[in-house]
Amino acid sequence: MSTEKRIETIEHDGLVFDVLDEGPIGGEPVVLLHGWPERATVWRHVAPILNAAGYRTYTPDRRGFAPGARPKRRRDYTLPKLAGDIAALIDQVGGSAHVVGHDWGAATAWAVAGFHPEKVRTLTAVSVGHPASFMKAMVKSDQLRRSWYVVSFQLPFVPELIAKYGGAGFDRQLIKSGMTKDDVARVRAEIIDDGAFHTSLGCYRAVPLTDPRSVRFRITAPTTMVWSAGEVPLSRYGAERSADWCDGPFEFVALERGSHWLPTEAPDVLADIILERIQG
């Protein structure tokens, strides 16, 4: 079931989220979730491919990014809160949907599938594995070293000042991870210049508030985990061992080429993987 009217915004938890609603009105719903430091536009090359295949895509600006959804408290960015926003969107578009997420969008997608399993038809996670697997990777792999920036983001005001006034260094870190200069300019326009940088860090700053036991949820939806050999911030261990938390069909796809930024770097490849999962 799909709504016959286009959705431009949804309201949840006193916040307003902008949504890009594209594709055939009667198409099966696919929810696309962006990561950090990006917004819904990260899916601009993937969504048209899914639309051409007959699917209707809903691409929200998530909590901390949407102009009407930027609470300031750390506790407003815990995984249950992030998942609740997307569950509210899925309720509005028919009650269940295929869910796809990249980076923090993937972490959110895992949480939606774990906390609200009845709402997720299939799950495609890109780069970031199941939260419990990610935590285990901290002690079983080099993930702790890769996650140095998460610790730095806990410092109040310092990351904001570096991004705004020491921009060249911030930009270099994104380029080092594989992002193109054009996409760095998009991040600067959509996140920093638009005033979303401080609140976009809420998901990172809420990590210390997370009880590890709360993310030990099982996944019943058919799931595909996509990881690239060019990943800088995420280890293969956390992605591949996500299978340990999946009770339904699970496929691990390791791409030999590509960086962390797959939605913009390899949209055709990623769209094919998504379609294989949701059509399977």
Side-chain angles (χ1 to χ4, degrees):
M1 180 180 70
S2 294
T3 177
E4 294 299 318
K5 295 181 179 180
R6 292 293 181 187
I7 295 175
E8 296 182 355
T9 61
I10 66 160
E11 295 184 22
H12 179 249
D13 202 20
L15 306 173
V16 179
F17 302 83
D18 300 315
V19 180
L20 293 176
D21 176 354
E22 302 170 301
I25 288 289
E28 284 188 59
V30 181
V31 174
L32 302 171
L33 304 177
H34 68 83
W36 185 92
E38 299 180 289
R39 285 168 71 170
T41 54
V42 72
W43 295 106
R44 66 193 181 279
H45 300 311
V46 174
I49 300 173
L50 303 183
N51 300 152
Y55 295 92
R56 184 173 175 179
T57 54
Y58 300 90
T59 315
D61 278 338
R62 296 191 307 104
R63 181 178 292 231
F65 299 83
R70 296 177 182 175
K72 306 214 181 297
R73 303 175 306 179
R74 285 195 304 164
R75 63 179 177 269
D76 288 323
Y77 292 91
T78 58
L79 268 181
K81 290 277 190 180
L82 301 181
D85 298 334
I86 307 309
L89 169 61
I90 294 174
D91 282 341
Q92 192 162 334
V93 305
S96 67
H98 303 283
V99 180
V100 180
H102 170 248
D103 188 80
W104 264 101
T108 303
W110 285 108
V112 177
F115 296 139
H116 309 276
E118 75 285 355
K119 300 186 187 304
V120 180
R121 301 183 188 182
T122 66
L123 170 64
T124 305
V126 185
S127 298
V128 174
H130 188 289
S133 181
F134 178 83
M135 288 186 175
K136 189 173 182 180
M138 289 286 193
V139 295
K140 293 289 187 178
S141 72
D142 63 348
Q143 185 59 62
L144 184 61
R145 175 184 61 80
R146 291 173 182 254
S147 297
W148 64 268
Y149 61 96
V150 178
V151 177
S152 71
F153 286 165
Q154 305 304 316
L155 297 172
F157 307 117
V158 174
E160 290 90 334
L161 291 173
I162 291 175
K164 187 172 184 179
Y165 298 109
F170 176 74
D171 293 355
R172 279 197 297 271
Q173 287 298 322
L174 293 177
I175 291 171
K176 184 179 178 180
S177 69
M179 185 177 280
T180 67
K181 291 183 178 180
D182 286 344
D183 281 328
V184 169
R186 179 172 53 84
V187 168
R188 187 155 289 280
E190 294 184 351
I191 304 300
I192 299 173
D193 295 345
D194 193 58
F197 191 79
H198 173 68
T199 51
S200 77
L201 290 174
C203 53
Y204 288 105
R205 288 171 171 163
V207 169
L209 305 180
T210 302
D211 182 346
R213 295 171 296 182
S214 69
V215 298
R216 296 176 65 85
F217 43 69
R218 309 296 304 180
I219 303 298
T220 56
T223 299
T224 295
M225 175 71 236
V226 187
W227 182 85
S228 169
E231 274 284 354
V232 172
L234 284 313
S235 72
R236 177 170 180 145
Y237 183 97
E240 192 167 19
R241 295 300 294 269
S242 296
D244 296 343
W245 298 94
C246 294
D247 297 328
F250 177 87
E251 182 178 6
F252 175 68
V253 178
L255 301 179
E256 295 182 0
R257 296 183 179 180
S259 70
H260 177 70
W261 312 103
L262 291 175
T264 49
E265 184 177 1
D268 293 348
V269 173
L270 187 53
D272 285 345
I273 293 170
I274 295 168
L275 287 172
E276 184 175 349
R277 168 49 67 199
I278 63 182
Q279 292 173 348

